[in-house]
Amino acid sequence: MRNGGSARCATARAGLAFPEWQPRDDDWTSLHTSFDEEGAPLTEVAVYRGHERIHFRRYTGEDLTAFWIRLVNQISE
């Protein structure tokens, strides 16, 4: 896994966003957090296989809060 942090963290964030995903050796994940035009936070999670994006999800509002709570709890276990 490439792109930001340990393999465990990368697998955790993608696994939460895409529970059906089965990691392969050439898969890598991306997590991007920013703000939308109105200033509200958002997080985008993607999984790439080689150069092809195979999964993508954008979290906002209550879904964003729930995603980060689950992610922090899972990583801290």
Side-chain angles (χ1 to χ4, degrees):
M1 302 268 166
R2 299 179 287 202
N3 214 16
S6 70
R8 179 177 176 217
C9 182
T11 301
R13 66 186 179 218
L16 286 175
F18 316 110
E20 73 285 359
W21 172 58
Q22 296 295 316
R24 295 187 189 173
D25 288 342
D26 60 341
D27 289 356
W28 58 280
T29 64
S30 172
L31 181 136
H32 176 76
T33 300
S34 63
F35 299 92
D36 66 16
E37 296 80 28
E38 290 81 37
L42 64 91
T43 293
E44 298 173 334
V45 182
V47 175
Y48 294 85
R49 183 159 291 147
H51 297 289
E52 180 181 351
R53 185 171 72 184
I54 60 172
H55 296 290
F56 177 81
R57 183 156 183 200
R58 177 180 286 183
Y59 291 94
T60 60
E62 292 179 13
D63 290 339
L64 174 66
T65 302
F67 172 77
W68 278 101
I69 289 170
R70 289 191 330 265
L71 180 62
V72 168
N73 287 339
Q74 184 178 31
I75 292 171
S76 65
E77 292 177 350

